[in-house]
């Protein structure tokens, strides 16, 4: 007999990721009539997955978060920063190779 699945525990991190993905998607895909669809297509993930992430209903796996972050012009760890500044995403200098390039690209898009 199978053990029943544990109920999902609403976590603070899930809320932070949902808020950051939602805000960044609104900025990055502001010209789109359907922001979740535009993000899903750019990230090459299902629209329903993006909608669940944005609603904080699901804890996405790392591969999905990497795809979503790349589509938003971010480095994945930036999705975990509470109250991410969409006009100037915070970075931990030297945390990852190529970070300066991504940071400069995000700053140029925001202006």
């Amino acid at each position: 007999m199978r053990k029943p699945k544990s109920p999902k525990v609403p976590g603070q991190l899930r809320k932070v990721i949902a808020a950051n993905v939602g805000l960044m998607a609104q900025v990055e895909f502001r010209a789109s009539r359907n922001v979740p669809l535009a993000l899903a297509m750019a990230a090459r993930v299902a629209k329903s997955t993006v909608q669940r992430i944005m609603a904080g209903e699901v804890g996405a796996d790392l591969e999905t978060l990497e795809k979503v972050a790349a589509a938003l012009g971010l480095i994945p760890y930036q999705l975990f920063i509470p109250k991410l500044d969409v006009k100037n995403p915070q970075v931990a200098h030297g945390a990852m190779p190529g970070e300066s390039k991504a940071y400069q690209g995000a700053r140029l898009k925001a202006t």
Side-chain angles (χ1 to χ4, degrees):
M1 189 163 137
R2 294 178 83 178
K3 183 178 175 182
K5 289 186 178 182
S6 301
K8 291 181 185 173
V9 178
Q12 182 63 28
L13 191 53
R14 189 177 298 154
K15 293 176 187 175
V16 169
I17 292 169
N20 288 339
V21 169
L23 288 172
M24 289 300 295
Q26 292 297 328
V27 170
E28 187 69 24
F29 301 104
R30 63 183 165 266
S32 175
R33 291 173 50 124
N34 189 334
V35 171
L37 178 60
L39 175 55
M41 291 175 64
R44 295 184 179 205
V45 298
K47 178 183 169 187
S48 60
T49 298
V50 169
Q51 290 171 320
R52 289 193 308 270
I53 292 170
M54 291 173 77
E57 294 175 0
V58 67
D61 61 36
L62 289 175
E63 183 178 350
T64 301
L65 289 177
E66 288 174 339
K67 290 178 179 181
V68 169
L72 294 171
L74 297 173
I75 296 172
Y77 78 84
Q78 290 175 304
L79 294 176
F80 296 84
I81 299 172
K83 299 181 183 177
L84 183 68
D85 182 353
V86 297
K87 293 183 180 178
N88 187 19
Q90 298 93 319
V91 295
H93 293 286
M96 297 184 70
E99 184 172 43
S100 294
K101 182 179 176 183
Y103 175 67
Q104 293 301 325
R107 287 185 60 200
L108 292 174
K109 288 180 186 178
T111 56

